[in-house]
């Protein structure tokens, strides 16, 4: 750990399973890049919940607000019922810190293709079916009803869309595709489409397209080169980004940034993969996704040069144990 004035203050949530292992390698690589950081570890996740019942207290959340960024490994434990940690920790952080963009880059060569693709999915990260609107009626009876609404605000859709256009403006191809399901989700889809068209009008130099989400899954596999920046709703983005990882060299390389572009608080950086409890503690997990997520963190903190060096060091895939991959990439960054 490097400390001193000017060091970036990073909250580290290693989490569960392979999370702490891959996060350790990511921090090793950040230090190898010569960036001054000061880290504070937070023991949060399923393991912690099983020990003393804490998922994320208000006091801990307030403490996290004071950091420059949060680096997260993975959370999720097989003994914790679904939803407790996901909603109580990960989604709570995304919502309460207003991390309204989930930025997920995909660079790789899809199976059956010979040239690499390079696209980014901008996933709206605070709304849609993730807000937890709905509930049960007559639960456990034959007349049970469950509803789960999708909340779409004009402001929420528009700010994600605007981020996508601003991002595309800085990229070579300058193109944004809206992915939705406007032919069936005629209320939410209509709002998204109007917001998209209005923002597009402000960016006359950016090309645009629209794909239904089901068609997009075909294009991800058969024609990923058509994409530059994709913007989509929270649930479509969740599903599409697993597929994006699968066609871009595997989820072991898929990185992500939960961003508060308005910078009213820290942003959070995490690999797309989960906690993989079956291989936890065996020094087997590929830390590359966590390392690339740390590079995104450095970019966001204004350390573009270090971030570029880390990305370049990850270009040539490394295989082997978690620590071997981390050491090799750290070595390349130092050279
Ligand atoms: C992701 C994950 C999360 C999500 C889960 C763990 C709540 O799948 O970051 O993609 O659905 O957003
Ligand atoms: Mn997911």
């Amino acid at each position: 750990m490097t400390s001193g004035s000017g060091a970036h203050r990073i909250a580290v949530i290693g989490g569960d399973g392979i999370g702490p292992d891959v996060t350790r390698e990511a921090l090793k690589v950040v230090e190898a890049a010569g960036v001054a950081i000061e880290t504070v570890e937070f023991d949060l996740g399923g393991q912690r919940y099983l020990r003393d019942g804490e998922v994320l207290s208000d006091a801990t959340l307030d403490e996290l607000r004071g950091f420059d960024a949060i680096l997260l490994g993975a959370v999720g434990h097989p003994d914790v019922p679904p939803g407790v940690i996901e909603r109580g920790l990960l989604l709570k952080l995304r919502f309460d810190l207003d991390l309204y963009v989930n930025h997920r880059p995909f660079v790789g060569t899809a199976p059956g293709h010979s040239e690499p693709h390079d696209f980014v999915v901008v996933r709206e990260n605070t709304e849609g079916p993730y807000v937890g609107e709905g509930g049960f009626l007559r639960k456990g009876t034959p007349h049970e009803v469950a509803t789960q609404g999708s909340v779409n605000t004009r402001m929420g859709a528009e700010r994600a869309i605007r981020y996508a256009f601003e991002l595309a403006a800085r990229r070579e191809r300058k193109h944004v595709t809206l992915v939705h399901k406007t032919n069936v989700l005629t209320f939410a889809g209509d709002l998204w489409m109007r917001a998209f068209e209005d923002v597009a009008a402000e960016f006359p130099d950016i090309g645009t397209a629209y794909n239904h989400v089901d068609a997009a899954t075909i294009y991800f596999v058969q024609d990923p080169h058509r994409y530059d920046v994709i913007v989509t709703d929270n649930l479509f983005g969740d599903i599409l980004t697993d597929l994006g990882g699968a066609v871009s060299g595997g989820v072991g390389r898929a990185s992500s940034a939960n961003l508060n572009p308005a910078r009213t608080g820290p942003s959070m950086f995490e690999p797309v993969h989960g906690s993989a409890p079956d291989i936890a503690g065996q020094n087997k997990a590929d830390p590359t996704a966590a390392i690339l997520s740390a590079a995104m963190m450095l970019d966001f903190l204004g350390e573009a040069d270090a971030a570029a060096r880390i990305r370049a060091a990850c270009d040539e895939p490394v295989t082997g144990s978690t620590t071997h991959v981390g050491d090799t990439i750290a070595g390349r960054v130092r050279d």
Side-chain angles (χ1 to χ4, degrees), residues 88-109:
L89 178 58
L90 189 59
L91 299 187
K92 192 173 165 58
L93 286 169
R94 288 178 184 171
F95 292 167
D96 288 17
L97 298 176
D98 208 20
L99 307 178
Y100 62 86
V101 161
N102 198 321
H103 178 131
R104 296 185 159 176
F106 296 100
V107 180
T109 303

Side-chain angles (χ1 to χ4, degrees), residues 221-332:
V221 175
Q222 296 188 349
D223 185 21
H225 300 93
R226 71 170 55 213
Y227 293 122
D228 179 22
V229 177
I230 291 169
V231 63
T232 190
D233 108 315
N234 206 342
L235 183 59
F236 296 145
D238 176 48
I239 299 165
L240 277 181
T241 53
D242 266 21
L243 183 56
V247 299
S248 308
V251 84
R253 292 182 65 82
S255 57
S256 83
N258 298 270
L259 301 177
N260 172 338
R263 295 180 190 257
T264 56
S267 290
M268 179 167 76
F269 301 81
E270 54 164 338
V272 174
H273 64 67
S275 57
D278 51 319
I279 57 162
Q282 296 173 35
N283 201 18
K284 267 191 195 163
D286 184 349
T288 309
I291 294 169
L292 288 168
S293 301
M296 294 181 80
M297 175 178 83
L298 295 184
D299 256 333
F300 201 71
L301 293 174
E303 302 282 358
D305 174 65
R309 279 187 288 127
I310 293 174
R311 259 191 294 275
C314 293
D315 268 354
E316 187 66 42
V318 187
T319 51
S321 69
T322 309
T323 44
H324 173 74
V325 176
D327 289 339
T328 307
I329 294 172
R332 289 178 184 168

Side-chain angles (χ1 to χ4, degrees), residues 154 161 178 180 182 188-199 209-211:
R154 170 71 196 215
I161 292 166
L178 171 65
H180 209 283
T182 56
D190 192 74
L191 182 152
W192 271 83
M193 184 56 93
R194 281 181 285 116
F196 184 76
E197 284 169 351
D198 288 352
V199 176
Y210 169 79
N211 293 161

